[in-house]
Amino acid sequence: RAPPFVYEEVTETADLTATYASFKGAKRGKTWTADETAKFYRAIREHGLDFPVLCNCFPGRDSRQLKR
């Protein structure tokens, strides 16, 4: 025979909110140098906001890093 269930009342004392983003561990990209920034603006003038093409100009960076 199984033991009877014991119910315990729990009271929240803090107003904390956790979401998916709380646990995903955001990674931070490397800082842009002045030369990379200048190259980025030249690439935008030449190619526009075509991010797949811009990603080819910056092999170490992904489209998310280029958009931020």
Side-chain angles (χ1 to χ4, degrees), residues 18-39:
T19 63
Y20 169 76
S22 303
F23 301 99
K24 84 175 194 179
K27 59 182 179 180
R28 195 154 157 96
K30 62 181 182 175
T31 305
W32 289 73
T33 65
D35 289 338
E36 285 179 314
T37 302
K39 181 180 175 184

Side-chain angles (χ1 to χ4, degrees):
R1 185 171 176 204
F5 289 102
V6 177
Y7 294 97
E8 182 179 332
E9 186 175 331
V10 177
T11 305
E12 297 285 334
T13 58
D15 187 25
L16 300 176
T17 303
T19 63
Y20 169 76
S22 303
F23 301 99
K24 84 175 194 179
K27 59 182 179 180
R28 195 154 157 96
K30 62 181 182 175
T31 305
W32 289 73
T33 65
D35 289 338
E36 285 179 314
T37 302
K39 181 180 175 184
F40 176 73
Y41 285 113
R42 281 194 305 271
I44 287 179
R45 280 195 303 270
E46 186 176 330
H47 304 291
L49 294 176
D50 187 355
F51 285 98
V53 173
L54 292 175
C55 285
N56 290 333
C57 297
F58 299 91
R61 302 207 182 254
D62 60 14
S63 61
R64 174 178 275 167
Q65 291 171 324
L66 294 177
K67 291 177 183 178
R68 291 187 173 192

